[in-house]
């Protein structure tokens, strides 16, 4: 299926690895030129070069912390006008509800709520002026079903979800859609870090921790960045123009719910 986005320009944040990279690759496969971002320049440059070679699209790589004002300014200046925005950043650390201070909450809110909001505020006006735009925010399954040890993530992402619910309806009339993608467990460095923590806590091996988690997913395995990216590309497609303000859960059936 031709997704009708060849020649568009996308800013994909936090995209040298994992789910962000999955989204970048799926968009590149549709002929979309990219601005990629991550903090570590080496992995970022390697990803940019691999995507250029594989898909033949133009790729600009901007090494910066997307959660800082300076980092965002640098990325937005290099990106210029974009048709597609994929927001993403690292997730907050796990812990107990008793552990977190005001500063911990402010840090999580900055990274996983206020950063995507600032990026949307920067990119939406031009998209609306042009009469076409797509925004996909990478959030988490924790928005629908809380993950107890990720209380900082549960809180910050819920705030972003509320902002998107209202804003998506305000911009839809200008040809701009905003939706959220909610990953359940996917095989990335982030999953390795979470499984490493669980293995240590339970006194089991990393493989055992992975197998234990995979057994909680009806599909019986972790999701892949490719599957995740393909869904992102569809949300960004011409055909996705009637999908507005949705929270799409990609979790292999892990959340046991009727609706
Ligand atoms: P990942 O494999 O660890 O990749 C994270 C990517 O983001 C890397 O490219 C990293 O590069 C970049 N990054 C991290 N912090 C950044 C920052 N401040 N500024 C710019 N780039 C940054 O993580 P992932 O699994 O793809 O997760 C992506 C998001 O989905 C996270 O918010 C995570 O919490 C959420 N999520 C993931 C899962 C899962 O199972 N994987 C499930 C639910 C939610 P640098 O380190 O070089 O900056």
């Amino acid at each position: 299926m031709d997704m009708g986005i060849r020649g568009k320009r996308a800013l994909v944040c936090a995209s040298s690895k994992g789910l962000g990279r999955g989204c970048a690759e799926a968009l590149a496969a549709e002929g979309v030129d990219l601005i990629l971002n991550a903090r570590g320049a080496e992995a970022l440059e390697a990803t940019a070069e691999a995507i250029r070679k594989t898909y033949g699209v133009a790729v600009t790589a901007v090494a910066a912390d997307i959660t800082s004002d300076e980092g965002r300014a640098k990325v937005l200046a290099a990106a210029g006008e974009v048709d597609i925005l994929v927001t993403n950043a690292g997730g907050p650390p796990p812990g107990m509800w008793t552990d977190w201070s005001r500063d911990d909450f402010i840090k999580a809110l900055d990274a996983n709520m206020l950063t995507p909001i600032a990026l949307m505020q920067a990119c939406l006006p031009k998209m609306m002026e042009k009469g076409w735009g797509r925004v996909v925010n990478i959030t988490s399954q924790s928005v629908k079903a809380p993950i107890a040890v990720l209380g900082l993530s549960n809180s910050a992402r819920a705030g972003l979800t509320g902002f998107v619910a209202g804003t998506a309806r305000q911009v839809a009339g200008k040809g701009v859609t905003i939706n959220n993608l909610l990953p359940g467990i996917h095989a990335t460095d982030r999953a390795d870090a979470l499984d490493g923590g669980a293995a240590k806590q339970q006194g089991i091996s990393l493989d055992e921790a992975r197998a234990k988690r995979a057994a909680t997913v009806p599909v019986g395995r972790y999701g892949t960045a490719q599957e995740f990216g393909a869904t992102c590309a569809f949300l960004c497609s011409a055909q996705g123009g009637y999908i507005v303000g949705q929270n799409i859960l990609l979790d292999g059936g892990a959340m046991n719910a009727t609706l």
Side-chain angles (χ1 to χ4, degrees), residues 14 16-17 19 39-40 65-66 88-91 157 183-184 186 188 190:
S16 66
K17 298 178 190 168
L19 304 180
R39 291 163 303 179
D65 182 344
I66 200 67
N88 186 28
R157 298 189 199 277
H186 281 70
T188 67
R190 166 81 170 169

Side-chain angles (χ1 to χ4, degrees), residues 98-109:
T98 43
D99 297 343
W100 299 312
S101 65
R102 185 172 193 279
D103 281 351
D104 294 323
F105 276 102
I106 298 291
K107 214 169 155 197
L109 291 172

Side-chain angles (χ1 to χ4, degrees), residues 14-137:
S15 52
S16 66
K17 298 178 190 168
L19 304 180
R21 179 172 178 164
C23 295
E25 292 218 32
L27 290 169
E30 293 303 317
V32 174
D33 294 328
L34 299 172
I35 298 93
L36 301 185
N37 151 258
R39 291 163 303 179
E42 204 177 317
L44 180 65
E45 286 300 340
T47 297
E49 189 50 24
I51 291 179
R52 279 183 207 111
K53 274 201 180 126
T54 309
Y55 305 101
V57 295
V59 183
T60 305
V62 189
D65 182 344
I66 200 67
T67 67
S68 73
D69 288 342
E70 312 75 59
R72 260 193 319 279
K74 193 174 160 192
V75 171
L76 287 167
E81 281 182 29
V82 296
D83 309 291
I84 295 168
L85 166 67
V86 179
T87 76
N88 186 28
M96 272 292 288
W97 62 274
T98 43
D99 297 343
W100 299 312
S101 65
R102 185 172 193 279
D103 281 351
D104 294 323
F105 276 102
I106 298 291
K107 214 169 155 197
L109 291 172
D110 257 339
N112 299 113
M113 177 186 169
L114 299 176
T115 288
I117 289 175
L119 288 164
M120 284 186 265
Q121 286 174 324
C123 296
L124 285 170
K126 278 285 169 205
M127 292 179 183
M128 292 167 76
E129 207 178 296
K130 282 162 58 177
W132 197 96
R134 298 284 184 265
V135 178
V136 175
N137 300 295

